[in-house]
Amino acid sequence: MKKIALTGIKPTGILHIGNYFGAIKPALALSADYDARYFIADYHALNTVKDAKELSGLIRQVAAGWLAAGLDPERVIFYRQSAIPETFELSTALMAFTGKGLMNRAHAYKAAVQANTGKADDPDAGVNMGLFTYPVLMAADIILFDSDVVPVGKDQVQHVEMAQDIAQAVNFNYKAEVLKVPQAAVQESVAVVPGLDGRKMSKSYGNTIPLFAPEKDLRKLIMRIVTNSQGVEEPKDPETSQIFLLYKLFATADEQAALAARYREGGMGWGVAKEELFRVVNRELTPLREKFNAIMADPKALDETLAQGAEKARRIAGQTISRLRKAAGID
Ligand code: TRP
């Protein structure tokens, strides 16, 4: 039997090229070898996205984005967290096994407290219980589906470790393997995608290239990439140029070698390098964009796909909940 891989996708921003190389592509590659369960963590997003229209738009766009990028809902169980009521039941049960002290140590909560203390504010100013108990809901997401591995970025490893602690606390209490203890799978080799300003591409820096930007906007964004003041004639170093680092993600080995040679020879200005970059980015993203637009144009079909995923997911979830209720004497 294949091992189970599960990951959650928080719909707090539209997908960009950094998400594509950092999360989407690695997760889709992993889904070939695992029994994969990928879901839209909409109740996690509610902690920060409080505008209803914005949240419902993001849920759709992010779901459509993963499908457009190649997620096959016949092979991957793909659903919305909010469609699985068992998640919230399990989360409540896990609360009884989660020390408050454990939550006090969560990085995101600690960072919020530190920022408040720095401003001589109340330490818990602006912290809602959703943020404070975020790791418990995430543990429920993971444990509910008997996950073996959880592919995540480095920033989420602590959360997976907390899920381990919580599952172990349950098993220890009932002296039985009631819940499966998950492992984090960190994608170390994933390239850091540079943003328009040269820093890591991230929504919080406002330096992203959206994955499904219309062709015209895509071109404009690429033309806005910050460069140094080297003139056209000067030889240039490809490895320190964010244009080239982005190019490497999209171009073939031959194309990379050819452009690197033009950098080193001199005689090529930044504008020309950007045109080359646009050509390869647009070549890869055009089919994705077309698929994304087609999915977004048929919201009923998208809802149906997610509902079918939720149905499959709930069958698994129900079994975990019965196991736990029985162990706990709430059957
Ligand atoms: N916390 C994750 C993030 O911010 C999203 C998430 C929610 C998740 N539930 C999960 C990831 C379960 C892995 C497993 O990116």
Side-chain angles (χ1 to χ4, degrees):
M1 234 173 62
K2 282 187 184 170
K3 291 207 166 198
I4 297 164
L6 171 140
T7 201
I9 302 145
K10 200 162 61 167
T12 44
I14 59 166
L15 297 174
H16 55 73
I17 288 176
N19 301 135
Y20 182 57
F21 289 101
I24 302 177
K25 276 194 146 184
L28 293 182
L30 199 78
S31 72
D33 301 323
Y34 285 84
D35 201 342
R37 294 149 191 197
Y38 297 164
F39 68 96
I40 306 293
D42 42 10
Y43 268 113
H44 274 114
L46 182 62
N47 288 320
T48 48
V49 186
K50 295 294 202 298
D51 183 281
K53 241 182 149 169
E54 188 191 354
L55 184 53
S56 83
L58 282 169
I59 292 166
R60 281 226 158 75
Q61 288 182 57
V62 171
W66 276 71
L67 292 166
L71 185 147
D72 174 2
E74 296 297 322
R75 287 194 17 233
V76 176
I77 304 183
F78 188 51
Y79 56 94
R80 288 170 63 167
Q81 178 188 42
S82 56
I84 317 296
E86 291 81 0
T87 300
F88 311 101
E89 180 170 355
L90 181 58
S91 178
T92 297
L94 296 182
M95 296 273 185
F97 294 88
T98 305
K100 177 174 176 289
L102 187 70
M103 297 297 96
N104 288 342
R105 290 194 287 279
H107 297 320
Y109 173 65
K110 266 172 64 179
V113 169
Q114 223 168 42
N116 285 332
T117 315
K119 288 183 294 186
D121 232 335
D122 181 288
D124 282 328
V127 176
N128 59 50
M129 286 303 287
L131 172 66
F132 187 63
T133 61
Y134 187 108
V136 185
L137 181 56
M138 181 157 157
D141 292 331
I142 295 169
I143 291 167
L144 188 58
F145 293 98
D146 299 323
S147 312
D148 293 295
V149 299
V150 184
V152 283
K154 279 199 198 88
D155 63 316
Q156 296 295 314
V157 171
Q158 190 199 29
H159 288 149
V160 181
E161 288 168 355
M162 289 180 165
Q164 293 176 334
D165 286 351
I166 298 169
Q168 277 161 347
V170 171
N171 292 346
F172 180 77
N173 182 72
Y174 297 115
K175 301 194 172 34
E177 290 291 316
V178 184
L179 304 174
K180 197 187 274 184
V181 179
Q183 304 294 329
V186 189
Q187 309 272 347
E188 294 286 0
S189 60
V190 169
V192 172
V193 179
L196 298 176
D197 59 0
R199 290 185 291 175
K200 178 181 178 211
M201 189 178 287
S202 162
K203 188 186 142 220
S204 50
Y205 294 148
N207 64 358
T208 63
I209 302 177
L211 197 48
F212 306 112
E215 193 170 310
K216 244 178 55 203
D217 299 356
L218 181 64
R219 193 162 185 287
K220 265 197 216 143
L221 284 167
I222 287 175
M223 295 304 148
R224 260 182 34 203
I225 293 175
V226 177
T227 53
N228 63 22
S229 56
Q230 283 181 303
V232 173
E233 292 312 322
E234 284 179 69
K236 300 174 178 66
D237 177 14
E239 295 306 328
T240 57
S241 154
Q242 65 243 36
I243 300 171
F244 191 74
L245 295 179
L246 280 167
Y247 188 78
K248 277 183 18 183
L249 296 167
F250 292 94
T252 65
D254 285 351
E255 287 171 330
Q256 291 177 38
L259 189 65
R262 289 177 73 189
Y263 264 77
R264 294 196 179 99
E265 275 160 19
M268 180 184 69
W270 293 125
V272 173
K274 287 176 179 177
E275 285 295 349
E276 274 303 301
L277 174 61
F278 169 71
R279 188 179 63 79
V280 293
V281 175
N282 196 44
R283 178 179 70 194
E284 179 155 341
L285 296 189
T286 295
L288 267 67
R289 185 193 305 125
E290 284 169 359
K291 209 163 157 206
F292 175 78
N293 290 337
I295 296 169
M296 289 299 287
D298 190 352
K300 269 215 182 103
L302 174 59
D303 288 349
E304 183 51 33
T305 301
L306 290 164
Q308 281 171 9
E311 207 180 297
K312 292 183 220 165
R314 286 197 71 187
R315 261 180 254 141
I316 303 163
Q319 294 172 12
T320 311
I321 287 291
S322 326
R323 229 161 53 222
L324 178 70
R325 291 185 102 177
K326 216 162 162 197
I330 308 185
D331 50 344

